[in-house]
Amino acid sequence: LMEQYGLTAKQLKLFKFIKNYIAKNTVSPSYEEMMVAVHLKSKNSINKYVSQLEDRKWIKKLSGKARSIQILK
């Protein structure tokens, strides 16, 4: 089921969390909030997932700015 999105379960979970968070708060979540939401223990892991989502063109990160992820899908 997840494969149809071209994302792993964790990537999809993170994407949906970011999307819902932005819908409610207008800014994107902090890395700490993302870590809690998808049960990851390090910012490094989150960074990896964010980069993977960006590579797949699901999100766009505005460089040099905190809480500046944009949803592309």
Side-chain angles (χ1 to χ4, degrees), residues 3 5 7 10 12 15 17 30 33-35 37-39 41-43 48-49 51 54-55 58 62-63 71 73:
E3 302 315 310
Y5 291 107
L7 298 180
K10 261 227 159 97
L12 189 62
F15 174 77
F17 171 72
S30 68
E33 288 165 324
M34 291 187 238
M35 280 164 54
V38 293
H39 311 293
K41 305 228 181 327
S42 75
K43 283 187 188 175
K48 191 179 83 180
Y49 280 104
S51 293
E54 197 169 19
D55 290 344
W58 283 67
L62 302 178
S63 60
I71 298 294
K73 295 213 180 210

Side-chain angles (χ1 to χ4, degrees), residues 3-55:
E3 302 315 310
Q4 71 185 353
Y5 291 107
L7 298 180
T8 67
K10 261 227 159 97
Q11 288 167 342
L12 189 62
K13 187 174 181 182
L14 180 61
F15 174 77
K16 286 181 170 172
F17 171 72
I18 295 169
K19 190 171 186 171
N20 292 335
Y21 189 99
I22 292 172
K24 285 191 198 112
N25 304 283
T26 67
V27 293
S28 58
S30 68
Y31 275 32
E32 285 83 0
E33 288 165 324
M34 291 187 238
M35 280 164 54
V36 171
V38 293
H39 311 293
L40 287 170
K41 305 228 181 327
S42 75
K43 283 187 188 175
N44 240 7
S45 305
I46 288 291
N47 207 22
K48 191 179 83 180
Y49 280 104
V50 168
S51 293
Q52 290 166 347
L53 288 171
E54 197 169 19
D55 290 344

